[in-house]
C-alpha cells in the first residue's frame, strides 16, 4: 500500500486584518501522544521528512451548534475503539431488524456524548466488529468486546437517544392540500401482553407454525386462553390484549401434514407440544406520549405488536411477502413470459406520525411462478415445443435453474396431491432411469414402477425426471405427473421483457392508484377484523388530508453569450434552446469506435458530425475532425479494439492523449458496455460516451442535446448553476466553503451469495457553485451497508500509520480544486433503511470526523447528515384531480411539493419532497431524514436547498426525484459493478449475467473482498459516471 501514497500540497487564501494576502504555513500531519488521549483518539503518525502545506485560519470557524444545543469542545466524539488504533477496518453488519434505530445527540452541558438509544435493538452477529457505545453516567465509553456490538441502556429509556429534533416547520412556498395514503388508526386502550411460544419438535415453516397456533386457539380459546384471541408473528411470539389466565402453560396440538395431499382418505397427523410463557407488557401510555411529541423515544415493541395484529387476518387470506400481501383474486394475473405471471397485492405497515398512529397502505405487484403443469412451464421457459424435440444440454441447465427449489404437487394419484420441492433434474431421460426397489438391489425402471404402482403410463419418456428429496435418497417424478403449486413468488432476476411486462402492470396513474388503495381498505374491512376488534383498534377509511407547500423553482444561470442568460424552469423542466452551457469545455482530440455491424462508416460519420455540431451549439468547442478515422470492430474484440484506437491516436498526436472516445454499440450488446467502461476507466484512462445503434439511425435533436450535456460534464465542464449560488445567496452554503457529499451502497441481486457490495461516494468540487462532483468507489463485504473505506489507516514500513479513505481523498481534492478547505459538510446518504439509521450514523459520522482530523489537528467542520429514502410506500395525491392547476401533465402533484407535517415523524427532522414532474405512473416523493445537524439548518433551509439542488442534475434539463449527489453516488456504484461483473444489466436494459466469485484475500474493509481495479487519476477528477 505504501507505494500508493502521495504528498498533497494545500495552498489557500487567508485574510489579514489589515489587508488581503496569501500566506502559507508548514504544518506536518503529526499528532502528539497527549493529543491521542482526547475524547476523539486521533491515530498517531510517525514523524517523517514529508511536509504538507496548510492554511492556518486567522478567524476561528464558528462552533457548530446542533439545533440550539451548545457546541462541543474540539475534537468531537468518537465511537471507535481506542484499543485498536492501527485498524480502521469495520464490520460487516447484518442487522436486518426492522426496528427504527436512533442516533446520538449532544448533551445540554456541551460535554459531547453520542448516547445509544433507549430502544432495544437487535445486535449484529458475532463477526461484526462494529464499535458500540456504552453509557457510563453521562459519558460515552468506547467498547469493542470481541467484535460484538454491546448497546448500553439505562432502564430501557433515555431522553437523549434521539436524532436531530425538528427545528420547526417550513413556511416557504405556496400552501396547498394533498392526500396521502395514510389512514388514521386509533390507539388501543388496553395494555398489550407479549408471550413467548416454544413449539416442539421445532418447525421451520411459518405456515405450519401458524396452523399449529390456529388449532390451539380453536381448541382452547374459550377455556385455557380466557376467551382471548391472540395475534401470532409466525415464529416465537404471541400477543394478547389483556392477560392470559396463566404465566406459563404447555398444550398438545395435533394437525395434518400440509404436504400430505390426501383428498378423500386418511391423512398423516402430527403431534406438537406448545409452551406459552409470559414475557412482558407493552405500555400504551408511553406510545401515546411519543405520538404526541412529549417524548423522543418510541416504544418500538408496541408498534411492532400493533403491526402484527393488523396483519393477522391478511396473513390468513393472502400470500404474505415481507410487508406485502398478494393474491390472484385481487386482479387477474398477467403473463410475464417464461412461466411467470404478475400478482397484484397491497403493502401495509403501521407508522408513528404527527397525526397519531397511521396505517400506510399502497398497491404492490410481484412476479410469481405460474401454477402450470410442469411440461407446460418448461415449454414456456424454453420458448419451444418440448414434446417432440429433444432437449439440448443448455436446455437442461435452464430447466434445472428454473425449477430448483420450486414446489410441485403430483397429479397421477386420484386422491393424493402430495407436495415436493424440486432438488434437481436427472441427467438421463425417463426411459433410461432405473432404481433399486429392495435390499437385494433389484432394479426397476421408472416407467415400469409408475405403471405397476399407480397404473400411470408415462407418455414423454424422452424428457428427464424431476429429482425430489435429498441426494442420498432421491426420488424421481416424471414431469407430466407434476404441477407447480400456486403462490410461489419468483425471487430471481427478471429479464428485460419480464421487467417491461411487470412495469406495465404496476404503472398506474395517480387517480387510479388512489382508487385502488381506497378499494383495498374497504375490501380489508378493518372494522370487521376480529383481531382489530380484540385489540380495540379502529382504522379510518379516508386518505389523510395533509397541508403541503409548493416550493418555487430556482433560477438557473447559463453563459452570457447565449440569447437566454438565465432560465426559470416551468413545472420541473426547461430546454437548451437559445442557451449555452455556463462552462463549455473543448474537445480537440477525439476518436470513434463502431461496434455495430449494421452501422456503415458514412452513417457513423454523419452521426458524429451531428453530435459535434450540437456540442458547438450548446456552448462547447468540438473539433469536427477525429484524430483517426472511425474504427470498426467486433464486439468480442473490445479490448483489442480499444487499445488499438488508444495507441494509434497517441502516435498520431505525438503522445497527447485522447480527450474523448465515442462508441457506437449494438442495441442488445450483452457485456460489451460494461467491458468498454471497465477498460476505458481503469486501464486506459479514457473518457467515453456510448451511443446505441437505434439513436444513430434515428437522430433526435433532444437525444443529441442530452448527450452533449453528458459529454460536457465528463470533460470537466458545468452545464448550468443555480443563480443563487453564484450570487452567494444560498443559506448555510454560500457564506463559507461548503462541501456536499453523496453516498450510496449497491448490493448484489438475490441469489448472488459471493459478489461484494459496492460503495460510492461523490463530493462537490466547486464552491460556491456546488455543481461538479468527483466520485470514488470501493468493493466491500457482501450486503455490508456501512461504507468501510470512508476512512482507513494502514501501516507503512517507512511512514508508520498512514491515513486514507474516500472522505479524506475527496476533502483533499476539494482543497486542490478550490484553494480552500471545506468549513462545512453536508452529507446525503442514500439506501439506508430505518432499522440501520443509528448504526450507519454512528459509524459513518465517526469516519467523517476521523478523516477531517487526519488532515489537520482540530479540523472539525460541522456536519449535517441526511438519509435519502426512495424505497418507501408513502404516495401523495392531488386533493382534486380535476384541478389542472394543482397537477402536472401526468396527473401527479406539482414538482417542489414538500410535506413536513401530519404524516411525518412526531419529533424527528424529516420531510417528503416531490422535486420532479411525473412522466408516467404515480410519482414517488423522496423521504429525507436529517439524522445529525451541527449546522443548525431551519426546515425551510434544508428543504429549499435540497429542492434547488434537484435542478442541477447534469444529464437532463429536468428536475430529478432525488438530490443529485445521492443520485450520482448511485450511478457511480452501479458503474463500478461493471468493473467486477462487466455484463450485469446495463442502462439500456440489455440482458447479460456473469456470476463472478469475487471473495479473496484483500484489504477492502478488512473482510477479504477483492478490491476493485483503481480508477485512473484523470477519470476520478470528472463526472465519469454520468
Amino acid at each position: 500500500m505504501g507505494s500508493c501514497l502521495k504528498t498533497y500540497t494545500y495552498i489557500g487564501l487567508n485574510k489579514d486584518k489589515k489587508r488581503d494576502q496569501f500566506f502559507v504555513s508548514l504544518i506536518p500531519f503529526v499528532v502528539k501522544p497527549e493529543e491521542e488521549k482526547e475524547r476523539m483518539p486521533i491515530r498517531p503518525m510517525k514523524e517523517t521528512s514529508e511536509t504538507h502545506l496548510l492554511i492556518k485560519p486567522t478567524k476561528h470557524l464558528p462552533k457548530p451548534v446542533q439545533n440550539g444545543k451548545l457546541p462541543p469542545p474540539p475534537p468531537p466524539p468518537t465511537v471507535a475503539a481506542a484499543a485498536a488504533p492501527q485498524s480502521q477496518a469495520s464490520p460487516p453488519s447484518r442487522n436486518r431488524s426492522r426496528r427504527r434505530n436512533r442516533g446520538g445527540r449532544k448533551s445540554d452541558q456541551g460535554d459531547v456524548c453520542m448516547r445509544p438509544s433507549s430502544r432495544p435493538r437487535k445486535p449484529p452477529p458475532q463477526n461484526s466488529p462494529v464499535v458500540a457505545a456504552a453509557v457510563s453516567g453521562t459519558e460515552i465509553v468506547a467498547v469493542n468486546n470481541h467484535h460484538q456490538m454491546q448497546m448500553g441502556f439505562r432502564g430501557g429509556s433515555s431522553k437523549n437517544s434521539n436524532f436531530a429534533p425538528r427545528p420547526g416547520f417550513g413556511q416557504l412556498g405556496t400552501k396547498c392540500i394533498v392526500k396521502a395514503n395514510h389512514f388514521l388508526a386509533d390507539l388501543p386502550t388496553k395494555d398489550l401482553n407479549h408471550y413467548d411460544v416454544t413449539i416442539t419438535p421445532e418447525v421451520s415453516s411459518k405456515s405450519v407454525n401458524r396452523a399449529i397456533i390456529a388449532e390451539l386457539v380453536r381448541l382452547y380459546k374459550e377455556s385455557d386462553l380466557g376467551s382471548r384471541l391472540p395475534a401470532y408473528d409466525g415464529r416465537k411470539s404471541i400477543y394478547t390484549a389483556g392477560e392470559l389466565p396463566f404465566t406459563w402453560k404447555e398444550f398438545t396440538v395435533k394437525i395434518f401434514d400440509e404436504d400430505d395431499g390426501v383428498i378423500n382418505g386418511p391423512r398423516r397427523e402430527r403431534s406438537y407440544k406448545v409452551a406459552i410463557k409470559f414475557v412482558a407488557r407493552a405500555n400504551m401510555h408511553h406510545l401515546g406520549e411519543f405520538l404526541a411529541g412529549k417524548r423522543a423515544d418510541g416504544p418500538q415493541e408496541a408498534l411492532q405488536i400493533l403491526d402484527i395484529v393488523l396483519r393477522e387476518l391478511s396473513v390468513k387470506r393472502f400470500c404474505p411477502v415481507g410487508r406485502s400481501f398478494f393474491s390472484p383474486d385481487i386482479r387477474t394475473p398477467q403473463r410475464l413470459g417464461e412461466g411467470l405471471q404478475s400478482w397484484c397485492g397491497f403493502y401495509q405497515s403501521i407508522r408513528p406520525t404527527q397525526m397519531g398512529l397511521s396505517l400506510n397502505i399502497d398497491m404492490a405487484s410481484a412476479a410469481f411462478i405460474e401454477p402450470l403443469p410442469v411440461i407446460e412451464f418448461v415449454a414456456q421457459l424454453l420458448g419451444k415445443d418440448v414434446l417432440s424435440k429433444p432437449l439440448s444440454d443448455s436446455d437442461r441447465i435452464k430447466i434445472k435453474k428454473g425449477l430448483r427449489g420450486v414446489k410441485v404437487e403430483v397429479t397421477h394419484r386420484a386422491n393424493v396431491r402430495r407436495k415436493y420441492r424440486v432438488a434437481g433434474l436427472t441427467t438421463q431421460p425417463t426411459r433410461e432411469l432405473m432404481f433399486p426397489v429392495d435390499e437385494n438391489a433389484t432394479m426397476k425402471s421408472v416407467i415400469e414402477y409408475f405403471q405397476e404402482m399407480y397404473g400411470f403410463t408415462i407418455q414423454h419418456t424422452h424428457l428427464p425426471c424431476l429429482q425430489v428429496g435429498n441426494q442420498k435418497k432421491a426420488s424421481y417424478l416424471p414431469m407430466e405427473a407434476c404441477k407447480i403449486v400456486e403462490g410461489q413468488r419468483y425471487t430471481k432476476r427478471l429479464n428485460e421483457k419480464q421487467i417491461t411486462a411487470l412495469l406495465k402492470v404496476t404503472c398506474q396513474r395517480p387517480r387510479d392508484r388512489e382508487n385502488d388503495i381506497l378499494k383495498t381498505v374497504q375490501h380489508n374491512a378493518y372494522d370487521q377484523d376480529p383481531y382489530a376488534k380484540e385489540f380495540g383498534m379502529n382504522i379510518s377509511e379516508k386518505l389523510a388530508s395533509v397541508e403541503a407547500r409548493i416550493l418555487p423553482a430556482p433560477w438557473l444561470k447559463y453563459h452570457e453569450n447565449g440569447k437566454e442568460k438565465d432560465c426559470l424552469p416551468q413545472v420541473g423542466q426547461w430546454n437548451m434552446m437559445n442557451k449555452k452551457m455556463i462552462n463549455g469545455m473543448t474537445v480537440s482530440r477525439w476518436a470513434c469506435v463502431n461496434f455495430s455491424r449494421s452501422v456503415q462508416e458514412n452513417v457513423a460519420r454523419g452521426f458524429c458530425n451531428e453530435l459535434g455540431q450540437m456540442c458547438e451549439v450548446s456552448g462547447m468547442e468540438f473539433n469536427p475532425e477525429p484524430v483517426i478515422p472511425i474504427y470498426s470492430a467486433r464486439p468480442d474484440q473490445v479490448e483489442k479494439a480499444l487499445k488499438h484506437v488508444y495507441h494509434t491516436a497517441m502516435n498520431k498526436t505525438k503522445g497527447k492523449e485522447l480527450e474523448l472516445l465515442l462508441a457506437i454499440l449494438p442495441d442488445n450488446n450483452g457485456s460489451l458496455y460494461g467491458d468498454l467502461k471497465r477498460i476505458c476507466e481503469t486501464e486506459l484512462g479514457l473518457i467515453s460516451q456510448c451511443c446505441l445503434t437505434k439513436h444513430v439511425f434515428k437522430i433526435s435533436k433532444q437525444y443529441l442535446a442530452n448527450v452533449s450535456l453528458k459529454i460536457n460534464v465528463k470533460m470537466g465542464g458545468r452545464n448550468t448553476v443555480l443563480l443563487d449560488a453564484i450570487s452567494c445567496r444560498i443559506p448555510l452554503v454560500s457564506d463559507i466553503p461548503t462541501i456536499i457529499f453523496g453516498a450510496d451502497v449497491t448490493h448484489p441481486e438475490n441469489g448472488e451469495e459471493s459478489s461484494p457490495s459496492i460503495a460510492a461516494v461523490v463530493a462537490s468540487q466547486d464552491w460556491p457553485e456546488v455543481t461538479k462532483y468527483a466520485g470514488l468507489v470501493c468493493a466491500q463485504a457482501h450486503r455490508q451497508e456501512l461504507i468501510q473505506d470512508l476512512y482507513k489507516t494502514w501501516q507503512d514500513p517507512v511512514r508508520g500509520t498512514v491515513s486514507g479513505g474516500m472522505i479524506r481523498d475527496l476533502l483533499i481534492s476539494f482543497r486542490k480544486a478550490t484553494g480552500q478547505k471545506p468549513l462545512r459538510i453536508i452529507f446525503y446518504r442514500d439506501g439506508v433503511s430505518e432499522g440501520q439509521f443509528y448504526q450507519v450514523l454512528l459509524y459513518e459520522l465517526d469516519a467523517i470526523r476521523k478523516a477531517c482530523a487526519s488532515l489537520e489537528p482540530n479540523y472539525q467542520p460541522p456536519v449535517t447528515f441526511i438519509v435519502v429514502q426512495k424505497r418507501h410506500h408513502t404516495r401523495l395525491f392531488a386533493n382534486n384531480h380535476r384541478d389542472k392547476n394543482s397537477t402536472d401533465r401526468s396527473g401527479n402533484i406539482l414538482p417542489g411539493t414538500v410535506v413536513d407535517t401530519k404524516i411525518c415523524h412526531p419529533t424527528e427532522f424529516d420531510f417528503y419532497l416531490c422535486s420532479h414532474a411525473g412522466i408516467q405512473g404515480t410519482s414517488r416523493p423522496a423521504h429525507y431524514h436529517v439524522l445529525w445537524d451541527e449546522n443548525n439548518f431551519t426546515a425551510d433551509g434544508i428543504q429549499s436547498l435540497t429542492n434547488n439542488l434537484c435542478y442541477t442534475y447534469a444529464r437532463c434539463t429536468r428536475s430529478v426525484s432525488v438530490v443529485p449527489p445521492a443520485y450520482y453516488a448511485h450511478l457511480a456504484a452501479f458503474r463500478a459493478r461493471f468493473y467486477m461483473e462487466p455484463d450485469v444489466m446495463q442502462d439500456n436494459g440489455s440482458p447479460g449475467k456473469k456470476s463472478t466469485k469475487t471473495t479473496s484475500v484483500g484489504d477492502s474493509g478488512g473482510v477479504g473482498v477483492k478490491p476493485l481495479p483503481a480508477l485512473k487519476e484523470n477519470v476520478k477528477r470528472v463526472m465519469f459516471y454520468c
Side-chain angles (χ1 to χ4, degrees):
M1 296 291 293
S3 61
C4 300
L5 301 179
K6 302 184 181 78
T7 302
Y8 297 105
T9 303
Y10 300 148
I11 302 178
L13 173 65
N14 231 316
K15 198 177 247 187
D16 189 75
K17 292 181 180 178
K18 297 181 180 179
R19 65 188 186 278
D20 290 344
Q21 62 179 7
F22 287 98
F23 73 96
V24 175
S25 63
L26 303 179
I27 302 177
F29 285 167
V30 179
V31 181
K32 297 177 183 177
E34 59 269 21
E35 289 174 338
E36 191 184 349
K37 298 175 186 176
E38 294 290 331
R39 299 279 312 258
M40 175 173 172
I42 301 171
R43 302 290 185 245
M45 298 180 67
K46 294 180 181 178
E47 293 202 34
T48 69
S49 58
E50 178 183 359
T51 55
H52 301 260
L53 303 179
L54 282 170
I55 294 305
K56 291 179 71 177
T58 53
K59 294 185 179 179
H60 289 291
L61 176 67
K63 290 183 180 180
V65 176
Q66 164 128 341
N67 295 307
K69 301 297 180 187
L70 293 172
T78 183
V79 288
Q86 308 301 343
S87 173
Q88 187 55 23
S90 167
S93 152
R94 297 230 176 178
N95 183 2
R96 297 182 186 274
S97 164
R98 287 197 182 101
R99 298 179 180 179
R100 187 190 198 92
N101 292 337
R102 306 171 69 85
R105 80 186 268 194
K106 304 182 181 169
S107 68
D108 293 343
Q109 291 77 25
D111 184 17
V112 182
C113 58
M114 283 183 67
R115 296 183 178 87
S117 167
S118 63
R119 302 180 184 183
R121 296 179 219 288
K122 184 186 291 185
Q126 294 278 350
N127 63 352
S128 175
V130 176
V131 181
V135 173
S136 173
T138 57
E139 288 193 331
I140 190 162
V141 183
V143 295
N144 190 346
N145 186 10
H146 302 292
H147 301 306
Q148 182 178 8
M149 177 173 271
Q150 309 241 338
M151 305 303 265
F153 304 119
R154 214 179 305 157
S157 176
S158 167
K159 291 181 181 177
N160 296 306
S161 62
N162 59 308
F163 296 131
R166 191 180 300 281
F169 297 99
Q171 303 297 322
L172 191 66
T174 306
K175 290 186 178 179
C176 65
I177 299 294
V178 296
K179 289 177 287 187
N181 58 338
H182 285 243
F183 298 84
L184 187 62
D186 290 345
L187 197 63
T189 52
K190 304 174 184 176
D191 279 347
L192 310 181
N193 294 272
H194 175 200
Y195 292 84
D196 180 74
V197 176
T198 304
I199 298 175
T200 311
E202 191 174 344
V203 179
S204 59
S205 165
K206 270 191 174 185
S207 60
V208 174
N209 281 340
R210 290 188 186 282
I212 294 167
I213 298 299
E215 180 65 7
L216 184 150
V217 171
R218 188 184 71 79
L219 293 173
Y220 301 106
K221 179 187 172 187
E222 301 302 330
S223 54
D224 299 66
L225 299 183
S227 298
R228 302 288 185 205
L229 179 63
Y232 178 47
D233 71 350
R235 291 291 184 205
K236 290 283 292 176
S237 299
I238 63 169
Y239 306 96
T240 60
E243 295 179 349
L244 293 175
F246 55 83
T247 56
W248 183 89
K249 192 158 191 172
E250 189 172 83
F251 300 85
T252 299
V253 175
K254 293 180 179 179
I255 64 165
F256 293 113
D257 188 341
E258 68 166 4
D259 288 341
D260 193 40
V262 177
I263 298 169
N264 296 315
R267 299 173 64 188
R268 285 187 295 181
E269 197 174 53
R270 299 201 179 198
S271 180
Y272 297 92
K273 286 187 177 179
V274 182
I276 297 177
K277 178 185 176 184
F278 176 76
V279 176
R281 185 173 294 111
N283 191 326
M284 288 295 100
H285 177 69
H286 184 171
L287 178 57
E289 285 195 317
F290 170 66
L291 293 170
K294 293 178 181 176
R295 53 190 308 161
D297 55 329
Q300 198 63 30
E301 289 68 34
L303 290 167
Q304 189 178 353
I305 294 168
L306 298 179
D307 201 48
I308 289 166
V309 168
L310 290 177
R311 291 168 54 83
E312 188 72 12
L313 193 59
S314 293
V315 166
K316 291 176 167 61
R317 287 178 176 174
F318 307 109
C319 175
V321 177
R323 289 186 177 272
S324 297
F325 300 94
F326 298 94
S327 169
D329 302 324
I330 293 176
R331 200 187 301 164
T332 306
Q334 302 293 311
R335 283 194 164 178
L336 303 177
E338 296 191 10
L340 302 185
Q341 60 179 189
S342 67
W343 280 20
C344 288
F346 63 94
Y347 166 92
Q348 173 182 301
S349 175
I350 199 89
R351 300 190 62 77
T353 65
Q354 292 168 33
M355 69 179 183
L357 270 185
S358 162
L359 188 65
N360 181 203
I361 302 278
D362 191 24
M363 303 314 296
S365 291
F368 280 74
I369 301 169
E370 195 170 348
L372 298 167
V374 168
I375 285 187
E376 196 177 327
F377 173 83
V378 168
Q380 280 202 30
L381 184 67
L382 300 179
K384 70 179 188 181
D385 176 19
V386 295
L387 299 182
S388 56
K389 297 179 181 178
L391 298 177
S392 65
D393 289 341
S394 61
D395 288 339
R396 289 171 185 273
I397 291 169
K398 192 169 185 181
I399 295 168
K400 187 176 179 180
K401 283 183 177 178
L403 285 173
R404 185 186 289 148
V406 174
K407 222 175 200 182
V408 296
E409 59 183 10
V410 295
T411 58
H412 64 286
R413 299 171 68 183
N415 295 327
V416 178
R417 306 281 284 193
R418 188 164 291 166
K419 295 175 181 138
Y420 300 90
R421 199 170 291 280
V422 178
L425 209 63
T426 60
T427 53
Q428 298 165 288
T430 304
R431 60 175 169 253
E432 296 177 16
L433 282 173
M434 306 283 286
F435 65 99
V437 291
D438 55 31
E439 295 178 358
N440 298 324
T442 306
M443 302 301 287
K444 183 172 283 191
S445 74
V446 169
I447 294 173
E448 288 174 335
Y449 178 82
F450 273 82
Q451 184 65 57
E452 294 171 12
M453 193 75 179
Y454 308 114
F456 182 80
T457 304
I458 300 173
Q459 302 288 329
H460 311 292
T461 59
H462 67 289
L463 294 173
C465 276
L466 302 181
Q467 204 167 298
V468 298
N470 54 43
Q471 290 292 334
K472 291 181 181 177
K473 190 182 177 182
S475 299
Y476 302 135
L477 293 176
M479 284 188 183
E480 61 201 83
C482 298
K483 181 178 182 288
I484 290 171
V485 174
E486 186 179 59
Q488 298 181 78
R489 186 178 172 226
Y490 184 76
T491 57
K492 296 167 190 164
R493 186 193 188 90
L494 297 176
N495 63 35
E496 182 187 357
K497 288 182 180 177
Q498 290 167 336
I499 291 169
T500 304
L502 186 59
L503 286 175
K504 281 183 182 176
V505 176
T506 57
C507 187
Q508 285 183 291
R509 293 182 75 82
R511 183 183 297 186
D512 298 332
R513 193 183 195 103
E514 181 185 329
N515 289 336
D516 279 358
I517 290 169
L518 287 169
K519 285 177 187 173
T520 298
V521 173
Q522 289 160 10
H523 181 265
N524 288 351
Y526 296 104
D527 58 332
Q528 302 299 317
D529 184 337
Y531 295 93
K533 282 183 176 181
E534 172 82 10
F535 285 78
M537 297 186 72
N538 293 311
I539 310 297
S540 169
E541 291 192 350
K542 292 182 179 179
L543 291 158
S545 286
V546 185
E547 190 176 272
R549 292 167 290 112
I550 303 169
L551 301 178
W555 280 89
L556 302 176
K557 179 69 178 131
Y558 282 92
H559 200 280
E560 291 293 323
N561 291 345
K563 288 183 183 178
E564 294 183 24
K565 298 171 179 54
D566 45 42
C567 165
L568 182 64
Q570 300 298 316
V571 198
Q573 53 190 324
W574 66 103
N575 58 51
M576 285 295 293
M577 287 179 64
N578 301 321
K579 303 175 190 70
K580 291 190 181 293
M581 300 159 177
I582 191 160
N583 295 119
M585 300 302 287
T586 299
V587 179
S588 302
R589 300 180 300 279
W590 63 276
C592 175
V593 58
N594 176 17
F595 290 103
S596 179
R597 192 179 301 170
S598 59
V599 177
Q600 301 300 318
E601 186 174 345
N602 62 326
V603 176
R605 178 71 195 182
F607 173 78
C608 291
N609 286 340
E610 293 273 358
L611 180 57
Q613 287 171 26
M614 180 57 77
C615 290
E616 289 276 352
V617 168
S618 300
M620 296 178 66
E621 290 184 24
F622 200 100
N623 185 348
E625 293 299 322
V627 171
I628 59 173
I630 293 172
Y631 183 77
S632 295
R634 286 174 21 209
D636 59 353
Q637 299 287 317
V638 56
E639 184 166 5
K640 182 180 176 183
L642 292 175
K643 289 182 176 177
H644 171 80
V645 169
Y646 177 79
H647 293 299
T648 307
M650 283 272 282
N651 292 335
K652 190 80 178 285
T653 57
K654 297 179 180 177
K656 292 181 180 177
E657 293 193 348
L658 277 179
E659 295 167 334
L660 176 67
L661 177 72
L662 298 177
I664 298 171
L665 309 185
D667 293 332
N668 296 311
N669 53 69
S671 67
L672 175 59
Y673 177 86
D675 288 338
L676 185 145
K677 291 297 182 182
R678 173 176 51 81
I679 295 162
C680 284
E681 291 159 7
T682 67
E683 294 182 26
L684 302 177
L686 276 177
I687 301 299
S688 59
Q689 177 59 53
C690 295
C691 304
L692 293 178
T693 298
K694 61 184 178 184
H695 297 304
V696 172
F697 281 122
K698 188 182 178 182
I699 297 175
S700 151
K701 292 289 183 187
Q702 182 63 58
Y703 172 77
L704 293 176
N706 284 346
V707 173
S708 68
L709 294 177
K710 294 175 68 171
I711 289 173
N712 189 51
V713 295
K714 286 179 182 181
M715 301 304 297
R718 294 186 194 89
N719 296 334
T720 186
V721 298
L722 297 170
L723 191 60
D724 279 357
I726 56 176
S727 306
C728 296
R729 293 198 299 258
I730 302 180
L732 295 178
V733 172
S734 301
D735 55 341
I736 56 174
T738 299
I739 187 169
I740 300 181
F741 284 93
D744 190 20
V745 178
T746 64
H747 302 293
E749 65 187 62
N750 290 334
E752 271 293 329
E753 295 303 322
S754 61
S755 296
S757 293
I758 305 289
V761 180
V762 304
S764 58
Q765 299 294 291
D766 51 351
W767 179 82
E769 297 92 342
V770 289
T771 304
K772 294 165 69 172
Y773 291 83
L776 296 173
V777 292
C778 72
Q780 56 188 43
H782 178 75
R783 298 217 161 264
Q784 164 66 273
E785 185 57 49
L786 306 181
I787 302 178
Q788 301 303 289
D789 282 359
L790 289 181
Y791 175 74
K792 58 184 179 180
T793 59
W794 64 91
Q795 288 297 317
D796 181 88
V798 176
R799 302 180 183 188
T801 304
V802 182
S803 300
M806 294 194 283
I807 295 289
R808 192 179 192 276
D809 290 351
L810 289 167
L811 289 171
I812 291 169
S813 180
F814 180 96
R815 182 66 176 263
K816 283 183 175 181
T818 64
Q820 303 183 77
K821 65 183 178 187
L823 299 182
R824 179 185 292 117
I825 292 174
I826 300 170
F827 196 93
Y828 286 100
R829 177 66 156 88
D830 195 7
V832 181
S833 64
E834 289 177 348
Q836 296 170 310
F837 277 5
Y838 179 74
Q839 204 175 9
V840 168
L841 176 68
L842 196 68
Y843 181 80
E844 296 184 4
L845 180 63
D846 182 50
I848 293 167
R849 288 175 160 167
K850 284 197 180 79
C852 293
S854 74
L855 292 170
E856 179 182 352
N858 299 330
Y859 171 52
Q860 288 298 322
V863 178
T864 296
F865 194 103
I866 308 153
V867 166
V868 189
Q869 292 176 302
K870 281 288 280 184
R871 291 183 181 179
H872 61 81
H873 286 269
T874 293
R875 299 293 182 273
L876 303 175
F877 304 101
N879 192 45
N880 180 3
H881 290 285
R882 295 190 186 91
D883 182 6
K884 298 301 180 185
N885 293 323
S886 64
T887 62
D888 59 24
R889 275 188 282 180
S890 66
N892 280 289
I893 55 174
L894 293 170
T897 301
V898 64
V899 170
D900 61 0
T901 61
K902 207 163 182 180
I903 60 169
C904 292
H905 195 277
T907 60
E908 293 171 6
F909 192 1
D910 71 324
F911 59 93
Y912 292 95
L913 172 63
C914 183
S915 51
H916 66 298
I919 298 175
Q920 61 177 358
T922 303
S923 294
R924 186 195 317 231
H927 184 221
Y928 296 89
H929 204 126
V930 182
L931 300 188
W932 190 258
D933 183 27
E934 293 171 335
N935 289 300
N936 223 23
F937 271 99
T938 63
D940 279 331
I942 197 67
Q943 289 166 14
S944 59
L945 170 64
T946 303
N947 185 58
N948 291 350
L949 287 174
C950 289
Y951 286 80
T952 65
Y953 185 63
R955 304 208 304 179
C956 60
T957 53
R958 298 178 66 94
S959 60
V960 288
S961 60
V962 173
V963 69
Y967 205 144
Y968 293 145
H970 175 78
L971 292 176
F974 190 81
R975 170 66 59 80
R977 196 160 288 284
F978 288 128
Y979 303 158
M980 197 160 284
E981 298 171 347
D983 52 358
V984 73
M985 181 81 71
Q986 46 167 286
D987 290 350
N988 68 356
S990 298
K993 181 78 181 70
K994 180 166 67 181
S995 176
T996 53
K997 298 274 183 182
T998 55
T999 50
S1000 67
V1001 177
D1003 61 356
S1004 182
V1007 287
V1009 175
K1010 184 178 179 180
L1012 292 172
L1015 289 167
K1016 293 295 182 180
E1017 286 301 320
N1018 63 315
V1019 174
K1020 278 184 194 177
R1021 290 194 296 266
V1022 297
M1023 297 166 72
F1024 67 93
Y1025 43 79
C1026 276

